[in-house]
Amino acid sequence: MAKQETVEHKYVYAFAEGNKDLKELLGGKGANLAEMTNLGLPVPPGFTITTEACKAYLATREEPDGLADQIAAHLASLEQAMGKRLGDPEDPLLVSVRSGAKFSMPGMMETVLNVGLNDRSVQGLARQASGAHAQTSGGADRFAWDSYRRLIQMFGKTVCEVPGEEFEHALDDAKRAKGTHDDLDLDADDLRGLVDAYKKIFFKHTGREFPQEPREQLDLAIRAVFESWNAERAVLYRRQERIPADLGTAVNVVAMVFGNLGPDSGTGVAFTRDPASGAQGIYGDYLANAQGEDVVAGIRNTVPLQELERLDKKSYDELLGIMARLEGHYRDLCDIEFTIERGKLWMLQTRVGKRTAAAAFVIAGQLVDEGLIDLDEALHRVNGAQLAQLMFPRFRLDHEFQPVAKGIGASPGAASGKVVFTSARAVELAAEGESVILVRRETNPDDLNGMIAAQGILTSRGGKTSHAAVVARGMGKTCVSGADEIEVNVPQRRFVVGGQTVVEGDVVSIDGTTGKVYLGEVPVMPSEVVQYFEGSLDPEHVDNPLVRAVHRIMSHADARRRLAVRTNADTGADAARARRFGAEGIGLCRTEHMFLGDRRELVERLILARDNTEREAALAALLPLQRADFEEIFREMDGMPVTVRLIDPPLHEFLPPLEQLAVNVAVAQERGEDVAQEEALLAAVRRMHEENPMLGLRGVRLGLVIPGLFAMQVRAIAEAAVTVTRSGAVARPEIMVPLVGAVQELETVRAEAEKIIAEVVGDSGVEVLIGTMIEVPRAALTAGQIAEAAQFFSFGTNDLTQMGWGFSRDDVEGAFFWRYLELGIFGISPFESIDRDGVGRLVRIAAEEGRAARPELKLGVCGEHGGDPESVHFFHEVGLDYVSCSPFRVPVARLEAGRAAVETDGSDSR
Ligand code: ADP
Ligand code: MG
Ligand code: MG
C-alpha cells in the first residue's frame, strides 16, 4: 500500500502510521487513535484523512488530486484486514466517518456511523449477526435494521441537511404506535417500517433516493465532514474559544464495532479521574445494547460505569487496565469512549480530558505524588485564570438547587439579586440598597448605569465578546451571557424559562464561572483558597486536597519566578492583606485618597488660596495627615519597598461638580446668605474646567505649576520614613513622579525633592529613591534621557495604552469595544491584556534604552496589566524586575511569573 503513495501529498494515514503528536495534521481524535493503536490497545482498524486534505478541499470545493486513490488504497487494506468488503451484500464491512480537529470542538462537527449499509447489505448484516452467535434471528434482524435506520438518519441530517426533527418525529410515531417510550421495544418489523419512513423523508427533502452505493456513501460523508468545519455553529464556537479558523478538520474512517448487538453489548464513556474534583477513581457512564451517541443523547438512562463490573467483569477489568495504562502514558487525566461488542472491548477515542479549575490543581499535585510529572510540569498545567476562578466565592450547591438555564460564563463570580429589566429600575432599586440582577436580551451602551448598579448581568443572547460580557469583565462584575433558554420580555418585565415565569422583583442567582442560572437565592460560601492565602487554613494540616495542591504549586512558582510581585495599595489594611497574599512590596501607592473625605476642605483652601501665605497654610495643614497615612503603610510593609506616587489627578476632581455648585450658589443667593466662598469655588471650577482632563493639568504638571504641592508630599514621605525607621522598623520609600514626558520635568521635580530629603533624612539611615512612571509615549521613546534622572521606571500601562491607542478608557470600552472584538481588530481588550505589538513595543524600547543608560535602573509595572496572566509573561520576557497589581491578583501574578520562568527559561531539576 505505502508503495503506491509516492505522490507528492500524503493525504491519508493508516492508524499505525500516526501518533499523538500529529494533532495538527491528523486532528486530536486521529492522532490519539493512532497512538492507542501503536500501544497495542484494541482499536478497530481504520485510517485518517488529513487536515491538509480538508483545507485543500475547502479552498476549491473539490477533492484534491490523488485523494480518491489514496482513500481507495487504504480502504482496500482495511477490507483485507477485516476480511470483509465495504457494503458487501453477504457480509458487509461497515465504517464510521468521524470528524476530529486539532482542538476538540465537542458536538460542533459531524460523524456518520454504519456507512456501507443498503437494502441488500442490511440482510447480509442480519445473517452474519445471527450466524456468528447463538442469537435468535429476530435479535439479529432487529440489530441490522436498527443500524440501517441510524445510517439514513445521520446521513440524511449531516450529509444532505434533512431536518433532524423529521426523523425524530417518525421515531416517536413508531414508539407511540407500539405504546412504548423505549426504543428497545421496537422489533425488527417496526424498524423495517421506520427505514421506509426515513427513506421517504430523505426523498422528500433531497429529491433523490437514499444512495445505495457504499463508496458513494463514503465519499459523500467525507465531504460532509470537510464541510462541517465551516458550519455556522462551528465558526461561532471557534470564535468564542479563539481557535484559528484555518486549521481544518481531519476525517477518520473506522471499521464499525457494534454496541447494539444485544444485552452483552453496549457503549460508554469514562474519565480516569473525576474531572470535577480531581479525585482518583473511575468515573463514567455505560449503556447496554446501544450505539454511539445514545450515551450522551440521554435517550435511555445510563448506569454508572462501576455497574459494568457486574454485567461483564472481563471487559470491565480490561477497561480499568487500559485506563491505568493511558494515564501512565499521557501522564494526565484521560477521557475515553469505548464500545463492547458481544463481550469484546473496543477503544474508540481518548484524549487528555477537560477539567474544572479545582481539578486542574488537584490532579497536577497528585501526578507529582505519583511520580508521573515533576513540579515544573505541574506548574505548566495550571494557570492564573484557574486560580482566579478559585478565589471567587462560590454557590453552596449541596442541596435542592437545580439550574434552570445555562449560558456562557462571561465574567466570573456568584451573584444573587432581584430581577430587573431596565437600567433605570436597576439604579432605583440599588439606591434602596437592594441587590439586583439586570436581565436583558442583550445590553448596549445605554445600559451602562444599570450594569454599574447591578450585582450581576444576565443576557439571553451573545457570547464571550458581547457588549455585556466585555463590559462586565472590565468592571469585575458577574455576568452570564447567551442563556438562550430564557425568553426575555422587557415591556412586560418578565422572562420565561422552562415553562416558569420570572417577574421583576423575583430573586435569581447566576454563576459567572459555569454560566448556570438558578431561581431563588443560592447561599454563597467563601473560597477555601482565599482562606488559605489569608492564613486561616494551614495547608500542612488541613484535609483539603485543593488547598494542599495550591500550596505546593504556589511554593514552586515562588521558587522559580524571576519577577518580584508587588501590590497596588493605598491603605495600611490593603497593604496588610496583600502582604498575606504574598506581595513583596508596594508598586503603587496612590496619594489621591489622602485628599478625599473631610480633607476636601483643605484642598479647596489650597485651590482658592489668594497668595503664598494662604497656600502654605493649606499645605501645612495637609502635611501631618499625609505623614500619618504613610507611616501606617511603611509600618505595615516593614522592610519592603513602597512606591508612592505623587498626586496625579487634576485638582478640580476634588471640587464639587459645576452644576451642583451653580445650584448651591443660586439657592444661597435667593435666601440672602453669604455666598462669597461658594462663588469663589464656582469661579475656580469654571476657570479650571478642561475639555479633556485626561490630557490636561495633572501629574507632574501639577507639581510644576502649584508651588509647594509636591514639596509637601515629599516631606511627608521622608518624615514618615524617618519616624518609622527610628521606631525600629525599616521604611524603604520610592517616590514616583507621574505623567513625565520629558527629562526636564523630572529634573526640576527631583532637584527640589532631593533638597528636602537631604534635610529631613539627615543621618537616620533612610534611603529614598526617586523615579518616574513611564506612561506617556514620549517618555517611552526618550527613556534613555529620562533614565539619567530616574532611579526606577514604573510602566503605567493603563495610561500608556490610553495614549498609545488614543482611546479614552472611560468612554470607549462600553461604547464600541464589543464591535472591535467581534471584528477581530483585537482578540481581547488592550486594557485587559497588554497589546504586545504596539504598547508592548513602547515598554520594550523604554526598558532597553533605560537600562542602557543606567544599568542598575529598577523596572516595574503598575496598572491592571500587572495581574493579567498573558501580560505577566510579556513582562517576564522583557526583563522587568517586578509587576504590581491589586491585592487580589497577587497570587495570580506569582503563579504566572513562575510559569513564565519555567516556560521561557526551560526546566531545571528542582
Ligand atoms: P464526537 O467527536 O462528537 O465525539 P465521534 O466521532 O467520537 O463524535 O463519534 C460519536 C460516537 O460514535 C462515539 O462515541 C462512538 O460511540 C460512536 N462511534 C464512532 N465510530 C465508531 C465505530 N467505528 N464503531 C462503533 N461506534 C463508533
Ligand atoms: Mg467522541
Ligand atoms: Mg497614569
Side-chain angles (χ1 to χ4, degrees):
M1 169 194 69
K3 274 195 213 91
Q4 304 156 5
E5 289 176 6
T6 42
V7 278
E8 254 184 303
H9 287 286
K10 179 169 168 61
Y11 285 127
V12 185
Y13 285 69
F15 288 165
E17 295 175 293
N19 67 63
K20 70 174 168 29
D21 300 321
L22 293 180
K23 287 202 183 73
E24 183 106 29
L25 185 67
L26 303 179
K29 200 180 288 169
N32 288 324
L33 281 168
E35 189 77 12
M36 287 198 291
T37 301
N38 291 326
L39 282 174
L41 301 183
V43 177
F47 54 86
T48 304
I49 301 165
T50 65
T51 53
E52 294 296 329
C54 173
K55 286 192 270 191
Y57 169 83
L58 289 176
T60 58
R61 281 295 180 302
E62 247 168 71
E63 283 73 7
D65 281 351
L67 177 59
D69 290 346
Q70 291 184 40
I71 293 175
H74 279 269
L75 182 60
S77 34
L78 179 60
E79 289 175 329
Q80 204 178 0
M82 301 296 290
K84 300 174 184 210
R85 284 197 0 264
L86 183 71
D88 185 289
E90 291 310 315
D91 182 10
L93 166 69
L94 305 185
V95 296
S96 61
V97 178
R98 314 167 66 187
S99 59
K102 176 177 179 190
F103 300 105
S104 146
M105 298 170 52
M108 290 300 138
M109 292 184 300
E110 306 295 1
T111 288
V112 184
L113 305 181
N114 306 331
V115 168
L117 277 178
N118 56 26
D119 293 352
R120 292 174 65 208
S121 63
V122 67
Q123 317 268 6
L125 183 68
R127 275 194 300 276
Q128 291 298 329
S130 68
H133 201 259
Q135 193 182 23
T136 63
S137 70
D141 274 350
R142 185 196 182 280
F143 151 72
W145 286 98
D146 182 48
S147 302
Y148 194 19
R149 70 96 189 160
R150 287 171 190 264
L151 170 64
I152 301 171
Q153 183 166 358
M154 278 184 268
F155 190 94
K157 212 175 107 186
T158 65
V159 182
C160 303
E161 291 169 19
V162 179
E165 316 84 79
E166 300 227 8
F167 295 119
E168 298 294 339
H169 291 155
L171 179 60
D172 287 343
D173 289 346
K175 285 196 266 191
R176 201 169 310 120
K178 194 84 182 178
T180 181
H181 292 295
D182 190 342
D183 55 342
L184 284 185
D185 289 336
L186 298 178
D187 62 23
D189 282 336
D190 302 325
L191 290 164
R192 198 178 283 122
L194 195 56
V195 163
D196 281 336
Y198 277 11
K199 282 185 181 165
K200 291 206 182 83
I201 294 171
F202 188 91
F203 185 82
K204 187 176 99 195
H205 282 277
T206 62
R208 60 167 292 187
E209 300 291 343
F210 177 75
Q212 294 289 312
E213 178 53 49
R215 178 66 204 256
E216 187 190 1
Q217 291 176 359
L218 178 63
D219 289 338
L220 288 175
I222 290 170
R223 186 181 268 225
V225 172
F226 285 161
E227 295 275 358
S228 71
W229 176 255
N230 281 332
E232 198 177 306
R233 59 182 175 176
V235 171
L236 231 75
Y237 181 85
R238 285 200 292 274
R239 208 177 282 159
Q240 230 156 59
E241 299 294 314
R242 308 203 186 295
I243 296 175
D246 58 357
L247 296 173
T249 179
V251 185
N252 302 288
V253 177
V254 189
M256 283 301 297
V257 292
F258 299 100
N260 54 340
L261 263 173
D264 56 353
S265 304
T267 183
V269 297
F271 291 92
T272 54
R273 302 181 190 225
D274 183 352
S277 71
Q280 276 134 317
I282 305 294
Y283 293 80
D285 300 302
Y286 181 72
L287 191 57
N289 202 0
Q291 189 175 60
E293 321 279 45
D294 293 1
V295 180
V296 277
I299 53 164
R300 271 184 277 141
N301 283 338
T302 57
V303 297
L305 188 58
Q306 280 79 355
E307 288 279 299
L308 183 61
E309 180 165 26
R310 202 173 43 77
L311 297 171
D312 180 350
K313 175 131 174 63
K314 184 177 131 293
S315 297
Y316 182 73
D317 290 343
E318 188 183 354
L319 182 65
L320 293 204
I322 289 175
M323 283 165 68
R325 187 133 175 240
L326 285 174
E327 269 227 338
H329 186 70
Y330 284 86
R331 301 180 304 129
D332 208 343
L333 159 81
C334 293
D335 90 19
I336 62 174
E337 297 176 1
F338 66 93
T339 278
I340 296 173
E341 177 179 317
R342 287 183 172 153
K344 161 95 182 97
L345 174 69
W346 293 99
M347 301 298 295
L348 292 175
Q349 188 172 335
T350 192
R351 67 186 155 209
V352 167
K354 298 212 161 107
R355 66 205 72 187
T356 62
F361 277 88
V362 170
I363 291 172
Q366 286 167 356
L367 294 174
V368 173
D369 287 337
E370 291 164 24
L372 284 173
I373 62 174
D374 63 12
L375 276 166
D376 274 356
E377 178 66 22
L379 188 53
H380 179 66
R381 289 195 184 178
V382 296
N383 62 52
Q386 290 166 334
L387 183 63
Q389 249 184 45
L390 294 172
M391 292 177 68
F392 282 102
R394 279 180 301 134
F395 285 135
R396 190 189 297 277
L397 288 168
D398 11 313
H399 46 260
E400 79 207 77
F401 290 97
Q402 287 300 322
V404 291
K406 186 169 182 311
I408 291 158
S411 178
S416 296
K418 291 189 172 168
V419 168
V420 295
F421 294 90
T422 63
S423 193
R425 189 69 186 137
V427 171
E428 260 169 50
L429 278 187
E432 290 166 21
E434 300 278 5
S435 297
V436 299
I437 305 289
L438 178 64
V439 183
R440 307 280 292 166
R441 213 162 281 160
E442 52 209 345
T443 59
N444 62 49
D446 293 336
D447 293 316
L448 225 52
N449 288 333
M451 296 174 78
I452 293 168
Q455 208 70 24
I457 296 131
L458 168 62
T459 69
S460 59
R461 291 214 204 122
K464 273 203 158 108
T465 62
S466 62
H467 177 265
V470 174
V471 177
R473 276 200 300 278
M475 294 177 183
K477 212 141 260 188
T478 304
C479 174
V480 171
S481 66
D484 52 13
E485 293 117 302
I486 288 180
E487 265 176 64
V488 181
N489 187 330
V490 173
Q492 295 187 17
R493 301 197 168 199
R494 59 194 177 89
F495 71 77
V496 179
V497 61
Q500 300 189 69
T501 300
V502 175
V503 301
E504 185 174 279
D506 289 354
V507 173
V508 299
S509 300
I510 60 173
D511 185 327
T513 305
T514 62
K516 289 182 181 157
V517 180
Y518 305 86
L519 299 185
E521 181 169 348
V522 182
V524 168
M525 60 181 187
S527 144
E528 307 101 307
V529 172
V530 169
Q531 289 174 298
Y532 151 65
F533 284 130
E534 303 223 287
S536 55
L537 280 184
D538 176 356
E540 306 295 340
H541 294 106
V542 65
D543 184 27
N544 180 323
L546 175 59
V547 167
R548 282 213 306 274
V550 168
H551 171 66
R552 190 145 178 220
I553 293 172
M554 289 303 291
S555 308
H556 188 64
D558 286 339
R560 292 291 261 128
R561 69 191 158 89
R562 196 179 66 215
L563 277 173
V565 177
R566 298 195 193 178
T567 191
N568 302 348
D570 310 342
T571 63
D574 276 358
R577 162 174 248 208
R579 209 174 162 154
R580 288 198 299 276
F581 279 10
E584 299 159 294
I586 290 182
L588 175 63
C589 168
R590 300 176 181 86
T591 51
E592 1 331 342
H593 81 277
M594 303 170 184
F595 287 73
L596 294 176
D598 45 8
R599 302 175 187 181
R600 270 179 198 275
E601 188 218 336
L602 294 174
V603 182
E604 285 178 14
R605 272 170 57 193
L606 174 67
I607 292 172
L608 296 182
R610 276 162 303 191
D611 53 35
N612 281 345
T613 330
E614 283 185 18
R615 189 175 42 247
E616 276 160 21
L619 288 170
L622 279 165
L623 177 70
L625 303 174
Q626 291 242 299
R627 192 171 50 215
D629 293 333
F630 294 136
E631 277 177 26
E632 188 188 330
I633 291 172
F634 291 153
R635 227 170 243 126
E636 224 35 272
M637 297 309 283
D638 181 11
M640 295 184 175
V642 175
T643 307
V644 181
R645 182 175 71 184
L646 301 182
I647 187 156
D648 182 41
L651 283 190
H652 59 78
E653 278 193 11
F654 299 97
L655 298 182
L658 182 66
E659 303 77 32
Q660 188 192 320
L661 272 175
V663 172
N664 289 356
V665 169
V667 169
Q669 277 169 342
E670 193 73 9
R671 293 201 192 120
E673 291 168 7
D674 172 21
V675 290
Q677 171 84 1
E678 254 76 20
E679 275 175 345
L681 266 184
L682 183 58
V685 170
R686 290 222 165 97
R687 189 173 67 241
M688 292 166 76
H689 173 78
E690 292 174 321
E691 286 301 333
N692 203 338
M694 289 312 287
L695 302 179
L697 179 56
R698 53 174 285 224
V700 67
R701 303 159 199 174
L702 283 172
L704 299 179
V705 168
I706 300 177
L709 178 59
F710 276 12
M712 179 276 289
Q713 292 199 294
V714 169
R715 184 174 295 277
I717 293 165
E719 288 179 357
V722 170
T723 309
V724 168
T725 301
R726 291 235 157 90
S727 76
V730 178
R732 292 175 55 195
E734 304 179 341
I735 294 177
M736 178 157 80
V737 184
L739 221 73
V740 165
V743 68
Q744 293 84 350
E745 293 172 310
L746 184 60
E747 277 167 349
T748 309
V749 172
R750 188 176 163 174
E752 184 185 24
E754 277 179 339
K755 242 186 270 157
I756 298 167
I757 293 168
E759 172 197 320
V760 173
V761 162
D763 59 357
S764 64
V766 170
E767 197 195 346
V768 184
L769 302 188
I770 299 179
T772 180
M773 294 199 64
I774 301 289
E775 54 185 339
V776 176
R778 189 181 188 283
L781 298 174
T782 58
Q785 296 168 16
I786 292 179
E788 304 282 347
Q791 289 170 291
F792 65 88
F793 284 175
S794 176
F795 291 95
T797 50
N798 294 345
D799 263 310
L800 202 56
T801 300
Q802 189 153 245
M803 293 186 231
W805 279 86
F807 285 150
S808 151
R809 174 166 202 184
D810 298 331
D811 297 323
V812 296
E813 272 198 313
F816 64 80
F817 267 26
W818 59 276
R819 181 68 182 141
Y820 268 46
L821 289 162
E822 209 172 69
L823 291 171
I825 292 171
F826 34 66
I828 184 165
S829 159
F831 288 110
E832 214 174 303
S833 199
I834 193 151
D835 150 37
R836 285 178 173 245
D837 300 342
V839 178
R841 177 127 197 274
L842 289 171
V843 172
R844 209 184 270 279
I845 290 170
E848 278 166 14
E849 297 188 0
R851 279 242 168 90
R854 183 193 281 261
E856 76 281 9
L857 185 73
K858 265 213 274 189
L859 297 175
V861 59
C862 56
E864 241 90 309
H865 295 108
D868 166 66
E870 252 307 298
S871 310
V872 170
H873 285 244
F874 174 77
F875 298 132
H876 171 87
E877 284 163 35
V878 175
L880 301 195
D881 297 301
Y882 69 87
V883 295
S884 185
C885 53
S886 65
F888 222 64
R889 299 299 288 188
V890 165
V892 172
R894 283 164 55 202
L895 183 74
E896 288 294 349
R899 297 185 68 226
V902 168
E903 275 160 33
T904 51
D905 308 346
S907 293
D908 69 10
S909 47
R910 255 182 269 195

